[in-house]
Amino acid sequence: MTVTESVLTIAVGDVGVSAAYARPEQPFATLVVAHGAGAGMEHPFLRGFTHALNGEGAATLRFNFPYREAGRKFPDRPPTAIAAWQAAMDEAARQGAENGDGGPVWAAGKSFGGRMASMAVAEGMAAAGLIYLGYPLHPPGKPEKIRDEHLYGLSLPMLFLQGSRDTFATPELLEGVVNRIGQSAVLEWIDGGDHSFAIAGKKRSAEDIGASLAGTVADFMRTRG
């Protein structure tokens, strides 16, 4: 399947951020995807993930946060990141309306991007569901600094995709959080995966690793959308 990707600029307050929108014919849903703290939307992991999702029949929109667009290394504070999320979701809805798509619009993010998506939803952003590509439950080695309070007020479908060796989420802690959220949340472990979903002894490019997650995400979106 050949899918054309369009480069866009999205206004976030008084600045513009880059975005890339790709739409297969008659998509069943749209997934808006945010990058992690250390890499922008052009990272091979995200490109592989979104391109594979297009092949699964979903439209995608990935975007940069303002700090990344400006070339800064330190991530935006939540108010700015949440504003960027809302602007990206609005743009995805606009693109869908222009193309006559009536499917749901989901939000996903790698690490920081996923946590900011959940905070945006907690503050009122509409989304059909949330996909976490490695949720950063706590800083590595600091399980006492857990970032979970806002999750318990969310009732929309949520898929946590997590590597079993991810140092940002102690398995027992994350399982407890997902169980406490309830039936709307599903946790899928990638056996042996680290925070980037790389598996020791299994040589794969970042693009291939991202692509390998698309089928699970598309299935979840189809069944829960």
Side-chain angles (χ1 to χ4, degrees), residues 97-194:
E98 283 189 358
N99 288 287
D101 300 334
V105 180
W106 290 64
K110 178 73 183 77
S111 192
F112 168 81
R115 186 165 72 92
M116 291 300 105
S118 66
M119 293 178 69
V121 169
E123 293 201 6
M125 184 180 81
L130 287 162
I131 307 292
Y132 304 112
L133 305 174
Y135 187 82
L137 187 61
H138 57 73
K142 298 180 180 179
E144 71 280 2
K145 295 187 176 182
I146 193 168
R147 305 154 171 158
D148 65 336
E149 289 186 4
H150 68 286
L151 297 173
Y152 304 118
L154 306 182
S155 58
L156 74 174
M158 288 182 277
L159 174 62
F160 290 78
L161 274 178
Q162 203 83 20
S164 63
R165 295 189 303 111
D166 190 342
T167 57
F168 284 80
T170 304
E172 295 79 7
L173 283 177
L174 184 57
E175 287 171 355
V177 167
V178 173
N179 288 335
R180 185 176 171 187
I181 292 171
Q183 294 184 348
S184 62
V186 172
L187 172 59
E188 292 279 354
W189 290 108
I190 305 301
D191 189 35
D194 61 15

Side-chain angles (χ1 to χ4, degrees), residues 8-167:
L8 309 171
T9 299
I10 299 174
V12 180
D14 58 356
V15 303
V17 298
S18 299
Y21 176 74
R23 176 187 175 275
E25 199 166 333
Q26 297 182 328
F28 73 90
T30 298
L31 184 65
V32 181
V33 185
H35 59 79
M41 71 173 203
E42 291 301 327
H43 191 278
F45 174 93
L46 290 187
R47 292 186 66 89
F49 175 67
T50 53
H51 291 174
L53 266 174
N54 298 150
E56 295 281 350
T60 57
L61 186 150
R62 65 183 193 277
F63 68 97
N64 275 339
F65 287 110
Y67 80 94
R68 186 72 188 185
E69 194 72 22
R72 299 190 301 270
K73 292 185 177 180
F74 193 77
D76 296 314
R77 301 284 295 175
T80 300
I82 288 170
W85 253 114
Q86 184 64 70
M89 292 293 281
D90 290 345
E91 179 62 25
R94 189 181 72 80
Q95 291 288 336
E98 283 189 358
N99 288 287
D101 300 334
V105 180
W106 290 64
K110 178 73 183 77
S111 192
F112 168 81
R115 186 165 72 92
M116 291 300 105
S118 66
M119 293 178 69
V121 169
E123 293 201 6
M125 184 180 81
L130 287 162
I131 307 292
Y132 304 112
L133 305 174
Y135 187 82
L137 187 61
H138 57 73
K142 298 180 180 179
E144 71 280 2
K145 295 187 176 182
I146 193 168
R147 305 154 171 158
D148 65 336
E149 289 186 4
H150 68 286
L151 297 173
Y152 304 118
L154 306 182
S155 58
L156 74 174
M158 288 182 277
L159 174 62
F160 290 78
L161 274 178
Q162 203 83 20
S164 63
R165 295 189 303 111
D166 190 342
T167 57

